[in-house]
Amino acid sequence: MTARQAVPTSAADALIAPKPALRRYHQARWDEPAIFDLHTPGARGLLVPLPEPELAEAVGDPLAALPAGLARETPLALPELSQLHVLRHYLRLSQENLGVDLNIDVGQGTCTMKYSPKVNDTFVRDPAVADLHPLQDESTVQGVLAVIHRLERMLAEISGMDRVSLQPGAGSAAIYTNIAMIRAYFAARGELDQRDEVITTIFSHPSNAACAATAGFRVVTLHPDPDGYPDLAALRAAVGPRTAALLITNPEDTGIYNPRIAEFVDLVHQAGGLACYDQANANGILGITRAREAGFDLCHFNLHKTFSTPHACGGPAAGACAVTEALAPYLPRPTVEFDGERYRLDDDRPDSIGKIRPFYGVVPNLVRAYAWIMSLGPEGLRTAAETAVLNNNYLMHQVSRIRGVCVPYAAGRPRLEQARYSWAQLAAETGVHSEELGYRAADFGTHYWTSHHPYVVPEPMTLEPTESYSRADLDEYAAILAEVAREAYEDPDTVHTAPHRSAVHRARPATLDAPAHWAVTWRAYRRKILGEQL
């Protein structure tokens, strides 16, 4: 027995952990109210000293200078709490969550949950970054403009492109930025009325289709050939004078790399369209392939997926758009320019698509990405990619030995940084579905994700280990899946009724499709759920 094996000491322990080789786990549940319900009139987290009488007399009443229309009639309804109660509240909430710093987070395939070095947070918390104001004169922010400009040049080198914008605040915002530049490019050429179609693939990130539709294009979706590769014959049939662009991910969410990607790009170019590479997740190809050499006109990265900045629970993340010189005039404005001595913001860009978000991007994440790339260097980036691919194929070998699972498509071929599995055999033999396996995996303190909808791969599961996880981590995760699969065959009710040890024992997915129950703010909760008149 190894040191990591848990030994049940009672009948209750045996029920909680009937498999001594696995970690025993039970998530905390605090029934914690919303922070607004913890409001205690008069409580304070910080007592701000009154100004000196001389200063108060010199300044007068600062609120008197506000126009009447901007002054509140009633104070802002913020909760009043002590520092201890604020700290206690958020620590309790954190214990009811899982995250990359807490568990083996390989089960969030395509989300790319990798370790973000904490030393990079010290740079972000430094007053030289944290105390910057976006309206400061550019002469006073030369340091952060240098970081943005140098990061842009690094990403240009990594992608092979000529210019980069770091303004998008997320991956989907970067995709929308790219499709907006494609639209502006064809509008400037007088071809926009003709070119109203965007082609993508079913295993590319769904935001490509969503952003293209949002920008007003008709979306043509290609399905894979029998081996799981994007179908070149289907592209030949789809491409034509109405094609504005191809938006494609490679490798796709299956982890399969398309070796004929240059032919795809050539076909689109021959039809007069543009080729746009979704490199949100470039973990398997950093330092190995570049968008430019494959012929692409533009691409984007998710800095939170590939360059190790935090996801921040869906925002604020950071995206980067990289383009060839022909598309550079359409980049969001302002751009950061350098004349050899000083950095400046260039807002005089008449062909620009304008702003994608206020100011210049999510600066804290840009600083983290800059620090991460600087710490690794070119060889380190390539090593990170090679390790991510090695980890993924090791995990795929371990998981493929579990009863009831398989890896569809491209039989016998390796995957790059992730793999999409299918539990179709297990579901047919036990009646247990992939989502239920995920609920049961949560009882062991791990995430687990199926795939985007619709499920092209039946009973899907998508795993992505990145370079962050050790062999022991991968073995532990595979052991959890093996145990959950064993339970599905031998004790399916335990899986059907899972999770049993999470903060919430049973999610109600029906509410996800019920807008009447959605309440994303405290005021909306009080109005829609409690029926209060606010």
Side-chain angles (χ1 to χ4, degrees), residues 27 184 186 189 227 275 402 432 514-515:
Q27 194 167 36
F186 285 115
R189 296 163 62 94
D227 289 326
I402 299 172
V432 174

Side-chain angles (χ1 to χ4, degrees), residues 108-112 205 253 281 305 418 420 449 452 462 464:
Q108 292 271 21
T110 84
C111 285
T112 319
H205 298 145
D253 283 352
N281 180 351
K305 285 187 177 181
Q418 63 184 304
R420 180 155 295 166
W449 187 64
H452 303 109
T462 312
E464 181 184 7

Side-chain angles (χ1 to χ4, degrees), residues 59-404:
V59 173
D61 181 4
L63 299 181
L66 279 177
L70 294 181
R72 287 184 173 276
E73 296 179 356
T74 57
L76 192 61
L78 293 175
E80 298 176 3
L81 289 89
S82 71
Q83 288 189 24
L84 173 61
H85 289 92
V86 171
L87 180 65
R88 187 182 294 164
H89 173 71
Y90 285 108
L91 281 175
R92 286 173 174 172
L93 293 183
S94 74
Q95 291 178 347
E96 295 183 320
N97 281 281
L98 296 174
V100 69
D101 292 339
L102 189 64
N103 63 303
I104 305 168
D105 221 357
V106 306
Q108 292 271 21
T110 84
C111 285
T112 319
M113 306 305 294
K114 60 199 294 181
Y115 179 66
S116 299
K118 300 302 171 268
V119 66
N120 295 342
D121 290 340
T122 64
F123 306 140
V124 172
R125 288 196 296 268
D126 188 286
V129 175
D131 291 350
L132 290 176
H133 192 284
L135 293 180
Q136 280 182 238
D137 187 88
E138 63 188 34
S139 65
T140 68
V141 291
Q142 287 293 297
V144 75
L145 291 180
V147 168
I148 294 174
H149 189 271
R150 291 169 185 170
L151 179 58
E152 288 179 356
R153 298 316 308 157
M154 291 175 181
L155 296 175
E157 180 63 27
I158 290 170
S159 64
M161 296 296 177
D162 297 311
R163 291 297 304 265
V164 174
S165 171
L166 298 172
Q167 198 177 107
S172 294
I175 295 174
Y176 184 79
T177 302
N178 280 347
I179 193 67
M181 287 192 285
I182 291 169
R183 185 174 57 188
Y185 172 83
F186 285 115
R189 296 163 62 94
E191 300 180 36
L192 189 57
D193 289 341
Q194 169 197 331
R195 297 190 180 276
D196 61 352
E197 291 183 348
V198 165
I199 301 172
T200 188
T201 66
I202 193 68
F203 286 137
S204 289
H205 298 145
S207 290
N208 289 285
C211 290
T214 301
F217 290 96
R218 176 178 175 270
V219 177
V220 179
T221 303
L222 307 182
H223 284 251
D225 68 16
D227 289 326
Y229 294 98
D231 195 325
L232 190 58
L235 177 64
R236 285 197 181 96
V239 74
R242 294 180 62 181
T243 301
L246 169 72
L247 272 60
I248 192 168
T249 308
N250 189 35
E252 297 185 295
D253 283 352
T254 55
I256 298 173
Y257 185 84
N258 177 8
R260 306 179 70 178
I261 190 66
E263 294 180 63
F264 278 67
V265 172
D266 288 345
L267 272 176
V268 173
H269 282 165
Q270 289 166 16
L274 296 173
C276 182
Y277 197 162
D278 181 336
Q279 292 193 304
N281 180 351
N283 280 278
I285 57 176
L286 278 177
I288 300 171
T289 68
R290 303 200 306 176
R292 185 62 170 267
E293 274 70 50
F296 283 92
D297 304 287
L298 60 174
C299 67
H300 89 276
F301 299 105
N302 287 13
L303 300 188
H304 49 286
K305 285 187 177 181
T306 301
F307 298 100
S308 194
T309 71
H311 282 238
C313 276
C321 294
V323 300
T324 60
E325 200 62 53
L327 286 159
Y330 309 104
L331 284 169
R333 63 176 172 79
T335 55
V336 179
E337 307 292 341
F338 181 54
D339 62 10
E341 294 183 358
R342 306 287 291 176
Y343 297 91
R344 66 180 180 83
L345 297 169
D346 182 6
D347 225 348
D348 184 17
R349 301 181 67 83
D351 295 327
S352 167
I353 60 171
K355 283 182 173 294
I356 289 298
R357 64 168 288 121
F359 307 114
Y360 323 114
V362 183
V363 169
N365 278 350
L366 304 186
V367 172
R368 290 186 179 99
Y370 176 77
W372 190 76
I373 295 173
M374 288 291 290
S375 70
L376 291 179
E379 293 301 320
L381 293 178
R382 183 179 179 111
T383 299
E386 292 172 344
T387 305
V389 174
L390 178 63
N391 274 357
N392 183 48
N393 283 278
Y394 176 77
L395 180 63
M396 189 170 74
H397 173 76
Q398 298 295 84
V399 172
S400 298
R401 300 161 64 185
I402 299 172
R403 181 183 178 188

